[in-house]
Amino acid sequence: MIYSSPLFKNSTSRWLNEDDLPTITIEDGLEVYCRMQADDFRFTLPSGGTPNTPQIISSSFDSIEGSLIVSFPSSAVSPDIYRRALRENIQTGGDVSVRQEVGSSNLIINFSYFGDR
């Protein structure tokens, strides 16, 4: 499928008329997909975990801030290893931080995206 969209502030605006944005979904249990009116943002989750429902903390036309927890059945992926893996794969304007929940193997993932960067 090919999309053609006007640019507004260096962002595509193909979703300008949708009322239910922004949204955050987990695709195939492996990728976080944030969709805003003027842009979208994706990043991969650590393998072997089960993500909870992502929460939107704040959002606007082309930005979003959210969080989610990824639970692991036994030992967690190291936050440092996950950070290193993400560092090279985050699109411009995006930021993902991760820390281990105290007393558990869960990872707390906070993320943000601002489309005009």
Side-chain angles (χ1 to χ4, degrees), residues 1 9-13 24 29 42 57 70 85 90 92 95 102:
M1 180 176 285
K9 291 188 176 185
N10 206 23
S11 301
T12 60
S13 56
I24 303 173
R42 295 175 183 268
I57 296 168
V70 179
I90 295 294
T92 302
D95 184 52
V102 177

Side-chain angles (χ1 to χ4, degrees), residues 56-113:
I56 296 174
I57 296 168
S58 66
S59 66
S60 69
F61 180 73
D62 65 348
S63 66
I64 195 161
E65 182 179 354
S67 68
L68 70 127
I69 296 174
V70 179
S71 302
F72 292 87
S74 56
S75 62
V77 169
S78 161
D80 291 332
I81 291 171
Y82 179 56
R83 262 188 233 108
R84 280 193 294 271
L86 278 175
R87 190 174 301 143
E88 298 164 4
N89 297 317
I90 295 294
Q91 69 195 67
T92 302
D95 184 52
V96 178
S97 65
V98 59
R99 64 185 170 85
Q100 192 158 355
E101 189 175 55
V102 177
S104 78
S105 61
N106 296 341
L107 292 182
I108 300 170
I109 299 173
N110 295 303
F111 54 90
S112 62
Y113 176 81

